[in-house]
Amino acid sequence: MSTLEIQNLHASVQTPEGLKPILHGVNLTIGDGEIHAVMGPNGSGKSTTAYALAGHPKYVITEGKVFLDGEDITDMTPDERARAGLFLAMQYPVEVPGVSVTNFLRTAKTAIDGHAPKLREWTKRLKQASDTLKVDPDFVKRDLNVGFSGGEKKRTEVLQMELLEPKVAVLDETDSGLDVDALRVVSQGVVDVHEKTNNSILLITHYSRILRYIHPDFVHVFAGGKIVKTGGPELADQLEESGYDVFVEA
C-alpha cells in the first residue's frame, strides 16, 4: 500500500512579522498507485502544501493530520518522513558545494534502507538510471546542483526518485524552467518510476503541458489555501482554456 491522507490541514509560514496562515483546511486522499495533479494560481498554497507535507521547519502545521500508509507522520522530522517513504522533488533544489551527486545519492539510499548498497550494484543502477534520463556520465561527479541548469536540477531530482523508490512522491512544479525536450525526458523518468514501483504521486503544476506525459487520475484546483474543485483529467484542459479567475473570485 502507498497511500497519503491529508485531513483538514492548516499551515502557516514563518515570516519576519510572525506566522502567516496559508492553508485553510486541505483535505485530500491519494490512493495506492494513484496520480493526483494539483493546479492553481500563484499564492494559492500549492507549494506550501508540499513543504508542510515534507516537514520543512518554516512551514508550521497548526491543525489537521497527515497519514502515510495509515501512519501519522504529522509530527515527524523531515528525515523520519523520508524514511517512512515520502519524497519531495523541490521546485528550487538547493546547491550543496563539496558533495558530489553520486555521494549524495548513495548516502541518501543508505539512510533510507538502513545499510549501504553494494558498490558494484550501486554503480550499475546509477548508470542505468543516468542513461534513462540522458545524463552525462561525468554529471554525477559534479557538486550537487552547483552550476546546474534548470533541466539538470530537475533530472537530478528524478534520479533521486528513481534510486530511492519512495512510496509517495510529491513533485513541486517539476516542469518549471524546462524546455520541450527536457520536459519530455523528465516526465518519462517519472512515469518509468511509477510503472516500476506503483508509487503514488502528488504532482503540483501551473500548466497542463506536463499532464500530456504524466496522466493523472484526478485533478484538483487550489485557491485560497484549500482545494475548491476536483475532477478528472478533463479539468486540466478546462483550466488551460478558462484560467483560474472564476475560482479565485469565488
Side-chain angles (χ1 to χ4, degrees):
M1 293 291 291
S2 301
T3 61
L4 181 69
E5 185 176 0
I6 305 169
Q7 297 180 355
N8 192 34
L9 189 67
H10 294 247
S12 300
V13 61
Q14 293 277 6
T15 71
E17 293 75 32
L19 285 177
K20 178 183 178 181
I22 302 293
L23 301 184
H24 305 284
V26 177
N27 290 285
L28 176 63
T29 298
I30 301 177
D32 188 28
E34 292 180 348
I35 299 177
H36 290 238
V38 170
M39 305 180 71
N42 286 326
S44 60
K46 303 186 305 300
S47 291
T48 295
T49 300
Y51 287 120
L53 291 175
H56 193 297
K58 282 184 61 177
Y59 296 83
V60 181
I61 295 177
T62 56
E63 186 178 345
K65 294 287 184 181
V66 180
F67 296 90
L68 178 60
D69 286 351
E71 181 181 10
D72 188 350
I73 66 169
T74 312
D75 298 320
M76 285 186 179
T77 60
D79 62 297
E80 289 172 336
R81 299 178 197 217
R83 283 196 291 270
L86 185 67
F87 174 83
L88 171 64
M90 294 181 286
Q91 181 179 357
Y92 303 110
V94 297
E95 296 184 356
V96 187
V99 178
S100 69
V101 172
T102 183
N103 284 341
F104 168 76
L105 291 172
R106 191 161 188 259
T107 300
K109 182 65 172 174
T110 300
I112 295 294
D113 292 350
H115 58 84
K118 294 181 179 179
L119 191 55
R120 181 175 296 181
E121 294 176 1
W122 172 255
T123 302
K124 182 179 179 181
R125 280 204 63 196
L126 182 57
K127 184 181 185 306
Q128 290 173 338
S130 298
D131 289 345
T132 299
L133 290 167
K134 299 182 179 180
V135 171
D136 187 276
D138 290 333
F139 175 82
V140 296
K141 300 176 184 177
R142 296 166 60 186
D143 287 357
L144 182 64
N145 293 324
V146 177
F148 286 14
S149 67
E152 287 174 330
K153 289 181 178 180
K154 296 307 172 67
R155 291 182 198 215
T156 304
E157 295 284 282
V158 178
L159 191 59
Q160 291 180 52
M161 186 171 71
E162 167 77 27
L163 295 169
L164 300 181
E165 299 182 343
K167 296 177 180 178
V168 177
V170 180
L171 310 180
D172 186 19
E173 300 197 28
T174 298
D175 52 341
S176 66
L178 297 182
D179 60 30
V180 174
D181 291 330
L183 176 63
R184 186 181 298 111
V185 171
V186 167
S187 298
Q188 188 58 53
V190 173
V191 171
D192 288 345
V193 176
H194 176 67
E195 291 179 345
K196 183 171 66 176
T197 66
N198 195 40
N199 66 346
S200 302
I201 296 176
L202 176 60
L203 174 64
I204 297 171
T205 183
H206 280 296
Y207 308 107
S208 63
R209 63 176 191 156
I210 194 173
L211 303 185
R212 300 169 192 164
Y213 305 102
I214 304 173
H215 305 297
D217 298 294
F218 300 94
V219 174
H220 310 277
V221 182
F222 240 78
K226 58 185 177 182
I227 294 172
V228 295
K229 187 175 180 63
T230 294
E234 71 282 352
L235 179 55
D237 297 327
Q238 177 188 333
L239 293 169
E240 190 75 17
E241 293 179 6
S242 60
Y244 300 112
D245 286 348
V246 62
F247 300 106
V248 174
E249 292 168 1

